[in-house]
Amino acid sequence: QTGEALKEKLAQLPYVKEIRGEGLMLGLELMGPAKPIRSQLVHAHHIFTGSSSLPNVLRLLPPLNVTDTEVNYLLEALHSVLSQALTSA
């Protein structure tokens, strides 16, 4: 999948205010702090995301050889974790 296709799918997720970046190097500005989201992704789904100096930004830096299956797993995990964050906010 291209970065643009990934951006389109990420834009449909709950709790996401804005998506910035080029290609696959993306930053998601969330409605709340990114730290608990990062923690859930690591512990529950074994997905590591980058941090940012901005507390509400979650950085995505997948390798260039990422597969569609891996992207779909990321999207499903993000949807699950972000939906939980939205209901607990």
Side-chain angles (χ1 to χ4, degrees):
Q1 291 183 350
T2 65
E4 288 303 314
L6 179 57
K7 276 186 185 181
E8 288 175 16
K9 291 180 180 180
L10 290 169
Q12 297 171 10
L13 293 174
Y15 206 67
V16 175
K17 283 176 66 174
E18 184 180 358
I19 302 167
R20 297 186 288 267
E22 296 293 327
L24 293 173
M25 189 166 42
L26 301 173
L28 289 104
E29 183 178 350
L30 305 176
M31 294 176 167
K35 188 174 182 178
I37 304 299
R38 290 183 70 232
S39 179
Q40 280 287 343
L41 287 170
V42 167
H43 296 322
H45 302 280
H46 308 288
I47 295 173
F48 181 78
T49 60
S51 61
S52 171
S53 59
L54 302 172
N56 290 8
V57 174
L58 182 73
R59 292 178 63 205
L60 300 180
L61 302 161
L64 294 177
N65 64 345
V66 67
T67 66
D68 288 345
T69 302
E70 292 165 333
V71 169
N72 289 333
Y73 180 75
L74 168 68
L75 290 167
E76 289 172 12
L78 274 171
H79 188 272
S80 172
V81 172
L82 294 174
S83 294
Q84 289 174 4
L86 190 58
T87 58
S88 65

